[in-house]
Amino acid sequence: MPVKFEFNNPMLMTWLLIHQACNMVLKVQEKEFARIGLTPQYNGVFMVLRYKKGKVAIKDIAAWLDKNSNSISTLIDRMQRDGYVKRVGNIRDRREVLVELTEKGKEISNKSDVLGWKIVEDVLSGMPEEDFLRLNILLEQVRSRAFAQLDKDEAIQPVKTTKNAGKVVRAKKKRQSEKA
């Protein structure tokens, strides 16, 4: 159990609670996914491949998971070694490598999807929908402000996706449009 701090400063308390909540959720995911021989990172790639359906570029997986392409490429190496994914060339752009699930990957991906939703329900059940809606607004504000601190030349832009999935990608702003 994390230490329960009590600060008179609500901003400091919020900062600490965000960190503690994030850490606890990650620990729950690590524990639960380990039961089926996976990591939360593997589940993240599975999630992208399920919702994007078909072959997906490494750069797109990286954008979905808010990671850099090099770290995703290393993760894909491990997943390929484990027999869950395979790399295929892009017929239209030979410089680009695409990733798709193998049959073994599809099978374990389905299990990780069920387990992932169970984790979400176990951690978040019992909260009224109004609380989720308000929390979503507040967390989007925190995410946007933190993102603005990382790179002033990038913006978070929502993108249409499937009914049950959310997607955010980073897009470089064109400096010319800012000057205009």
Side-chain angles (χ1 to χ4, degrees):
M1 180 76 179
V3 174
K4 184 175 180 181
F5 293 97
E6 292 186 21
F7 295 108
N8 291 332
N9 182 330
M11 189 183 306
L12 182 57
M13 190 67 190
T14 300
W15 185 258
L16 180 66
L17 287 171
I18 288 171
H19 279 279
Q20 286 183 333
C22 182
N23 289 336
M24 289 297 105
V25 167
L26 289 174
K27 285 180 182 182
V28 169
Q29 287 181 314
E30 288 169 354
K31 175 184 155 200
E32 294 300 319
F33 284 118
R35 292 176 196 237
I36 60 171
L38 298 178
T39 66
Q41 294 78 15
Y42 274 36
N43 183 64
V45 172
F46 288 146
M47 180 191 70
V48 174
L49 295 173
R50 278 192 308 270
Y51 288 113
K52 295 282 283 182
K53 295 185 173 128
K55 301 171 187 167
V56 181
I58 289 177
K59 67 180 174 61
D60 293 332
I61 296 170
W64 262 65
L65 300 177
D66 197 27
K67 303 285 183 192
N68 69 50
S69 292
N70 290 338
S71 64
I72 295 301
S73 186
T74 301
L75 179 60
I76 296 300
D77 287 343
R78 291 195 314 262
M79 293 178 77
Q80 187 171 10
R81 180 199 67 214
D82 293 341
Y84 297 135
V85 299
K86 65 180 176 180
R87 286 184 157 118
V88 294
N90 184 342
I91 296 170
R92 287 181 244 131
D93 183 353
R94 290 189 297 182
R95 297 168 296 172
E96 185 173 59
V97 175
L98 303 175
V99 178
E100 68 180 342
L101 290 170
T102 62
E103 286 306 313
K104 180 180 178 182
K106 289 175 185 175
E107 188 177 306
I108 195 74
S109 175
N110 290 334
K111 290 179 183 177
S112 76
D113 187 42
V114 170
L115 181 57
W117 279 110
K118 182 182 180 314
I119 294 168
V120 169
E121 290 171 353
D122 288 350
V123 171
L124 298 177
S125 65
M127 287 177 59
E129 186 173 344
E130 307 82 50
D131 288 354
F132 289 123
L133 297 173
R134 181 71 183 138
L135 183 58
N136 290 344
I137 290 167
L138 296 171
L139 289 173
E140 284 178 0
Q141 290 173 3
V142 170
R143 180 187 63 193
S144 291
R145 292 177 65 93
F147 191 79
Q149 294 299 311
L150 290 175
D151 192 339
K152 306 283 188 205
D153 291 338
E154 294 186 26
I156 295 177
Q157 298 179 0
V159 179
K160 285 186 180 179
T161 186
T162 60
K163 179 182 174 187
N164 293 324
K167 178 180 175 185
V168 175
V169 296
R170 293 182 288 174
K172 288 275 185 192
K173 290 182 186 176
K174 294 182 181 174
R175 292 180 191 251
Q176 291 82 14
S177 65
E178 289 178 349
K179 293 177 182 177

